[in-house]
Amino acid sequence: MNEQELSQRLARVGSHVPQDARLADIGSDHAYLPVALMLKNKITFAVAGEVVKGPFQSAEKQVRKSGLTDQIVVRLADGLDAIEETDRINAITIAGMGGTLIRSILEAGKQHGRINGSERLILQPNVGEKTLREWLVENEYTIIEEEILAENKKIYEIIVAEKQEPVSYSDQELFFGPHLLKEKNDVFIQKWQREIAGKERVLAQLEKAEEKPLEKVAEIQTQLAWIKEVLA
């Protein structure tokens, strides 16, 4: 993967960035995504944010090599602290992290006044999609698009959200993804077939515990029932 040829996962994340957006890419990994989008004239300005010095330096080097130092700013900062008000950001990508971490980045960004709800959020959690959807709902975002794809034997979900008219979602929609649940494509089926085996293993271990965590057991039993119903 490089700035000319993104992984399928990152290319699909980039496809949800609006034309002519001012983008903040958080956890930018060599700044591949903003550089690729700038080279395709998809965006007009970008911030590439990194919290670790090594990846920050790699992103700086990539932007310099691509001749884009006037259009892409690389900042060493924690999460959305990379964004400044004068950047006028209207799209944010956060990809390749756990859903819980992405949720905490968004919450901290909200608390620090780094996001105001006018931005499109394009999120690609590696795990923990449900907790991320819950944060979006709690903060009055509508999930406008979702995507699920397989690459290198891993399955990834992309969640795109904007502040629109308030929408309510059922527990099952937050668990599976409201758009993914409607579509139920082959990758969706594959993911949840895998999940059955994993959840049944966890359940068997919990059942053997001396002090059985009844609430957790009930939660997994409910989720297994949902999955089997959806796959039926």
Side-chain angles (χ1 to χ4, degrees):
M1 182 176 75
N2 54 46
E3 76 283 5
Q4 300 289 348
E5 188 174 346
L6 296 175
S7 66
Q8 183 191 358
R9 172 183 65 90
L10 270 187
R12 293 311 305 157
V13 168
S15 74
H16 295 284
V17 174
Q19 182 63 42
D20 298 327
R22 295 178 68 86
L23 174 70
D25 184 42
I26 305 303
S28 200
D29 186 24
H30 292 79
Y32 285 146
L33 180 60
V35 167
L37 294 177
M38 192 66 77
L39 292 174
K40 291 176 183 172
N41 295 314
K42 180 93 188 270
I43 58 175
T44 60
F45 172 82
V47 172
E50 270 295 351
V51 71
V52 179
K53 196 166 186 183
F56 161 75
Q57 291 170 331
S58 297
E60 274 194 321
K61 184 178 177 183
Q62 186 65 56
V63 171
R64 269 198 314 273
K65 186 182 98 173
S66 305
L68 295 171
T69 51
D70 289 341
Q71 294 149 291
I72 300 175
V73 179
V74 184
R75 293 196 183 117
L76 184 65
D78 188 1
L80 296 176
D81 283 348
I83 298 173
E84 296 176 2
E85 192 175 345
T86 52
D87 297 330
R88 305 194 318 279
I89 295 300
N90 58 15
I92 295 170
T93 47
I94 310 178
M97 305 177 200
T100 302
L101 177 56
I102 296 176
R103 176 183 173 132
S104 69
I105 288 171
L106 292 171
E107 181 61 28
K110 184 184 85 166
Q111 298 294 337
H112 298 166
R114 304 292 177 162
I115 51 175
N116 57 31
S118 65
E119 309 87 353
R120 171 178 287 194
L121 304 180
I122 303 127
L123 313 170
Q124 184 270 297
N126 290 344
V127 293
E129 299 86 0
K130 179 174 178 281
T131 189
L132 190 48
R133 291 190 187 99
E134 287 170 344
W135 185 91
L136 293 169
V137 170
E138 287 163 12
N139 289 277
E140 300 179 337
Y141 283 87
T142 299
I143 299 168
I144 59 169
E145 292 179 272
E146 291 179 304
E147 204 171 326
I148 188 166
L149 64 140
E151 185 175 33
N152 298 329
K153 299 182 179 177
K154 292 184 179 176
I155 292 176
Y156 301 103
E157 293 185 15
I158 299 168
I159 302 167
V160 185
E162 292 181 355
K163 283 211 173 183
Q164 297 183 348
E165 289 298 311
V167 176
S168 62
Y169 300 103
S170 68
D171 289 342
Q172 288 94 327
E173 286 175 323
L174 293 173
F175 184 67
F176 293 106
H179 298 275
L180 301 179
L181 187 57
K182 281 180 190 168
E183 187 183 357
K184 288 190 200 174
N185 68 18
D186 291 344
V187 182
F188 177 91
I189 300 297
Q190 183 186 341
K191 169 178 176 166
W192 291 106
Q193 284 173 336
R194 284 186 196 174
E195 288 286 329
I196 286 178
K199 288 187 181 296
E200 284 181 338
R201 276 196 304 275
V202 172
L203 191 59
Q205 289 168 349
L206 293 176
E207 293 281 5
K208 290 176 188 171
E210 284 186 26
E211 290 188 25
K212 197 185 297 182
L214 297 177
E215 196 173 316
K216 188 67 178 173
V217 167
E219 180 188 357
I220 295 175
Q221 286 173 335
T222 299
Q223 291 173 352
L224 277 167
W226 288 346
I227 297 167
K228 289 173 182 177
E229 183 183 350
V230 163
L231 297 181

